[in-house]
Amino acid sequence: MKRTKTINKDGANDNDSWNMGVEGPTDDEVVNRLRERQMRNFLATLMLSQGVPMLNGGDDIGRSQRGNKNCYCQDNELTWHDWNLDEPRQRLLDFTGKLIHFRLAHPNLHRRKFFQDREIRKKGESTIIQDIAWFNTDGNQVSDEVWNTAWSRSIAILLNGQTLQVVNEEGEPVVDDSFLLVVNAAHEGVEFTLPPSPSGKAWLQVIDTENLEDPFVKVEVADRIIMGGRSLKLLSGAAAD
């Protein structure tokens, strides 16, 4: 097969991507910071999901193929990894590394068993213990009706760290912090009413993609938080004593 040096002529033309209003590189700081935030949103969505995360080479340093989706035959700057990192790309690399370590440190973020509501019986009573639940901005669980709407852009996902259903090498149940992943895909900010933590303790913000300079700073939160447009926060509820 003859190799081609054609730039940006490969792949299909049907695109679902969004350039934030500017095509290609720009000096517009607002656009650049929004792009950086979106990259963090996607990285966090991947690394905070269950299953095996698949990270494409260069995603951790913001590598661009300049819109070319079919670069297998390109041996040039479209496919090379440029390790001369400017400040934003170095920040992204640091963010990705910390995000990976955070995932590894918490078994609640890489469960070995499927989610399933468990029924606990005690003295003739039964209680449903939820290991995962989805919440609206008002703090109530998402209804079937809301799931089928096209306008919903904001949601919170609860991961209960007390329901891992595995034991350690000593045969003791493994427990972890519970997490509330709050996502706002709308362009405008929104207020979230937070559901209670399964442990009964207060939520602590541990990741914020809107904070580009210090996304892992820990901040105590009340029963409501303000989510900026196109942002993601991870809240931690300490494991029960």
Side-chain angles (χ1 to χ4, degrees), residues 18-193:
W18 175 50
N19 61 14
M20 286 74 170
V22 178
E23 188 63 31
T26 178
D27 294 328
D28 190 320
E29 187 65 15
V30 173
V31 172
N32 285 329
R33 289 180 70 85
L34 178 55
R35 289 176 176 177
E36 187 175 352
R37 189 194 313 168
Q38 285 288 70
M39 285 187 280
R40 294 182 182 210
N41 288 336
F42 293 132
L43 287 166
T45 300
L46 172 67
M47 289 299 168
L48 299 178
S49 297
Q50 301 296 319
V52 179
M54 302 293 287
L55 185 65
N56 191 46
D59 283 352
D60 52 345
I61 57 173
R63 183 176 71 91
S64 171
Q65 295 182 172
R66 301 182 184 178
N68 192 311
K69 301 186 289 295
N70 192 28
C71 281
Y72 76 97
C73 61
Q74 300 287 346
D75 184 15
N76 50 50
E77 64 272 15
L78 284 182
T79 53
W80 297 340
H81 287 56
D82 180 10
W83 289 100
N84 296 313
L85 305 181
D86 56 15
E87 182 179 352
R89 296 172 72 217
Q90 183 63 55
R91 283 200 304 252
L92 188 64
L93 179 62
D94 294 341
F95 174 82
T96 306
K98 291 179 180 178
L99 188 61
I100 292 172
H101 283 289
F102 188 89
R103 173 191 173 88
L104 291 174
H106 290 283
N108 192 13
L109 298 176
H110 50 91
R111 291 172 173 249
R112 294 169 57 186
K113 293 188 177 182
F114 289 111
F115 291 104
Q116 57 180 10
D117 288 338
R118 298 192 302 162
E119 186 173 352
I120 307 299
R121 292 188 176 275
K122 184 178 181 181
K123 294 182 179 180
E125 299 180 358
S126 63
T127 303
I128 300 298
I129 304 298
Q130 291 182 293
D131 44 22
I132 185 170
W134 292 263
F135 293 88
N136 294 313
T137 57
D138 60 7
N140 295 315
Q141 291 198 38
V142 178
S143 65
D144 291 340
E145 183 177 83
V146 174
W147 274 120
N148 295 321
T149 61
W151 49 263
S152 182
R153 294 290 184 273
S154 306
I155 196 170
I157 302 95
L158 173 67
L159 302 175
N160 191 336
Q162 303 178 48
T163 61
L164 302 184
Q165 307 175 66
V166 294
V167 297
N168 59 20
E169 294 179 353
E170 286 73 36
E172 300 171 338
V174 176
V175 295
D176 191 16
D177 295 350
S178 294
F179 293 107
L180 188 70
L181 179 61
V182 189
V183 178
N184 179 28
H187 68 276
E188 71 275 3
V190 63
E191 182 181 70
F192 264 90
T193 298

